[in-house]
Amino acid sequence: MKDLFEKIYKDKGPLGKWASQAEGYFVFPKLEGEISNRMKFQGKDVITWSINDYLGLANHPEVRKVDAEAAAQYGSAYPMGARMMSGHTNLHEKLQNELAAFVKKEAAYLLNFGYQGMVSTIDALVSKDDIIVYDVDAHACIIDGVRLHMGKRFTYKHNDVESLEKNLERATKMAEQTGGGILVISEGVFGMRGEQGRLKEIVELKKKFNFRFFVDDAHGFGTLGATGAGAGEEQGVQDGIDVYFATFAKSMASTGAFIAADQEIIDYLKYNLRSQMFAKSLQMQLVVGALKRLDMLKTMPELKQNLWKIVDALQSGLKSRGFDIGTTQSCVTPVYLKGSIPEAMALVRDLRENYGIFCSIVVYPVIPKGLILLRMIPTATHTLQDVEETLDAFDAIRERLDNGTYKRLSAAVMAAMGE
């Protein structure tokens, strides 16, 4: 018999194998200072494009004041216990009601964490006789939720409605045999590429197929739609989304999440979501803080306006200078370059050390080999000066990538990092 840990000693995984070179700099980096457009990285000032604080609420003085007052009043423990036992309050209900109204659904239910809540919601919605059909590029929390499913599941090609339709035909035949139903899952905004899910077209397929539609709108909530209610509102199909999910970790600059749907669906879920039934309630200071943030989303449209001023300036500037930003339809701004992983490491080090620009780096296996993705998250706290400095820096690093500088430097970078 093998030692259970033998595989760990031999194979650290596609990302883990780079740990000795990358950890602390390229992965698990330590940004310091107040969350803002400019922070410190390893003692140097950098323009930060890796913070999901879309609306700039993380350090907004009104938010900080409410958070501090809530912490002083309730501490960090109250309420103790799970919601069903001893962790339920009027303020939890108030937040749920206001969230439901904001995203135009009958009811909502709070989740302690987005990832955990998504996994548990999928698990609660389906039984072994049901079939799940989901976008192949779905977020890891969706994939992990689907893994719990004991029935059949199919992936469709990313944002490919024709592929979805073919898989719905397969799922329909299977559901007729099992006596189950069909759950289709998409994201409102795909967080890596920035593309909106084809929600309108998926809802249109309801005329032909019998399925329920679950949307993860983590990046759309607060940033898209006339009121900020997300990708469904942006595309005019919020009513066609049967279960709507969003997290507080992006536009709300906090911790927690929620699901929203018809009242009867929420009533069912709150009695069957294992991640909430058997976990401590969302602490009060987060609930109070979320109420304040939601009020600001509703009453301060300038927050979203300021965000999109920066988004438009950054994305139009990148495109005008010939950069490939894919087909983003959201604030998420990917910049695609060609190069190896060592070249990507040399490039990012140059960008951070010599140009003061901090953005996330994404390489294989998250994206295909030979590609480098620099993922940028514009926020309402960024300035047009930040954009101009960044565009000039990207011009410089592209030239160095194209002329082979990073290929030559990559060996030195690896050596300097202990390889």
Side-chain angles (χ1 to χ4, degrees):
M1 185 192 314
K2 287 184 177 180
D3 178 356
L4 177 67
F5 290 170
E6 184 177 340
K7 59 182 179 292
I8 297 174
Y9 300 138
K10 289 184 176 179
D11 183 4
K12 302 299 183 185
L15 292 177
K17 70 180 182 181
W18 295 97
S20 62
Q21 297 93 345
E23 191 164 324
Y25 194 93
F26 300 102
V27 296
F28 300 103
K30 299 171 186 175
L31 284 167
E32 298 177 318
E34 288 196 351
I35 295 171
S36 184
N37 58 319
R38 293 180 184 248
M39 298 175 70
K40 285 190 178 294
F41 177 64
Q42 297 200 340
K44 295 184 178 180
D45 291 327
V46 291
I47 301 173
T48 50
W49 297 102
S50 293
I51 304 298
N52 290 324
D53 182 26
Y54 283 123
L55 300 179
L57 296 182
N59 273 299
H60 194 287
E62 292 184 40
V63 167
R64 291 285 293 265
K65 181 174 182 291
V66 169
D67 284 353
E69 290 174 349
Q73 181 177 356
Y74 296 105
S76 60
Y78 183 80
M80 287 299 293
R83 291 281 295 281
M84 292 184 75
M85 298 299 180
S86 57
H88 190 66
T89 73
N90 288 333
L91 288 179
H92 285 75
E93 287 187 351
K94 177 178 171 63
L95 178 55
Q96 288 173 173
N97 292 338
E98 292 192 10
L99 286 165
F102 184 65
V103 298
K104 302 171 180 65
K105 295 295 180 186
E106 285 185 0
Y109 195 65
L110 292 178
L111 307 169
N112 294 354
F113 295 97
Y115 200 113
Q116 169 204 54
M118 172 60 71
V119 169
S120 192
T121 301
I122 294 173
D123 179 53
L125 285 172
V126 293
S127 68
K128 63 180 180 60
D129 294 328
D130 300 321
I131 294 91
I132 298 175
V133 184
Y134 65 106
D135 192 295
V136 71
D137 278 4
H139 189 270
C141 65
I142 295 173
I143 293 171
D144 283 353
V146 171
R147 283 175 174 171
L148 291 178
H149 180 43
M150 293 182 290
K152 291 290 185 179
R153 66 260 195 166
F154 302 115
T155 58
Y156 61 93
K157 295 177 183 177
H158 174 60
N159 260 352
D160 188 323
V161 177
E162 183 179 345
S163 174
L164 171 57
E165 189 166 356
K166 289 179 180 177
N167 279 284
L168 280 171
E169 289 171 354
R170 297 170 65 195
T172 298
K173 291 178 182 177
M174 189 164 292
E176 288 171 350
Q177 295 173 354
T178 64
I182 300 171
L183 179 67
V184 173
I185 308 175
S186 176
E187 295 189 49
V189 172
F190 289 86
M192 200 61 65
R193 305 183 189 210
E195 297 165 334
Q196 290 183 42
R198 302 284 292 276
L199 310 186
K200 187 173 183 178
E201 291 89 340
I202 296 173
V203 169
E204 186 68 18
L205 285 176
K206 284 187 168 187
K207 295 177 181 177
K208 186 175 180 180
F209 299 95
N210 182 16
F211 64 88
R212 294 295 185 172
F213 190 23
F214 184 17
V215 173
D216 173 354
D217 203 25
H219 289 273
F221 178 75
T223 69
L224 293 175
T227 69
E233 182 182 54
E234 177 83 8
Q235 298 183 34
V237 293
Q238 190 76 347
D239 287 347
I241 297 171
D242 296 295
V243 182
Y244 178 90
F245 164 95
T247 176
F248 300 158
K250 308 294 191 295
S251 290
M252 298 270 271
S254 186
T255 299
F258 72 98
I259 45 175
D262 291 347
Q263 183 69 60
E264 193 166 354
I265 305 307
I266 294 300
D267 286 344
Y268 170 82
L269 288 171
K270 72 182 184 182
Y271 282 93
N272 291 278
L273 283 169
R274 295 173 64 83
S275 67
Q276 309 308 306
M277 295 166 63
F278 302 104
K280 182 182 179 297
S281 175
L282 192 66
Q283 64 197 60
M284 189 65 85
Q285 67 188 89
L286 295 175
V287 174
V288 173
L291 280 164
K292 176 61 179 178
R293 289 160 169 82
L294 181 59
D295 180 67
M296 294 173 74
L297 260 66
K298 293 188 291 187
T299 62
M300 298 174 65
E302 65 269 22
L303 295 172
K304 188 159 75 75
Q305 292 166 4
N306 291 339
L307 165 65
W308 276 96
K309 180 180 71 175
I310 299 301
V311 173
D312 291 340
L314 179 64
Q315 293 185 358
S316 62
L318 286 165
K319 286 192 286 188
S320 70
R321 296 181 187 222
F323 286 94
D324 179 6
I325 64 169
T327 55
T328 182
Q329 303 157 312
S330 70
C331 303
V332 179
T333 305
V335 178
Y336 297 94
L337 300 166
K338 293 182 179 179
S340 65
I341 292 178
E343 283 178 293
M345 295 167 78
L347 179 154
V348 170
R349 178 175 285 275
D350 192 20
L351 199 59
R352 294 176 182 178
E353 298 299 323
N354 299 316
Y355 296 97
I357 307 296
F358 188 101
C359 58
S360 298
I361 174 178
V362 183
V363 293
Y364 178 83
V366 180
I367 59 173
K369 285 183 178 180
L371 278 182
I372 302 168
L373 191 161
L374 300 177
R375 179 174 176 264
M376 307 177 73
I377 302 292
T379 74
T381 63
H382 283 101
T383 66
L384 295 177
Q385 179 62 35
D386 295 335
V387 172
E388 285 303 311
E389 287 185 35
T390 301
L391 293 174
D392 289 343
F394 271 56
D395 278 340
I397 59 116
R398 178 176 56 186
E399 181 180 352
R400 303 192 83 190
L401 180 65
D402 290 344
N403 67 23
T405 298
Y406 296 131
K407 186 172 286 188
R408 294 190 294 273
L409 284 174
S410 60
V413 171
M414 302 294 279
M417 298 185 73
E419 182 64 9

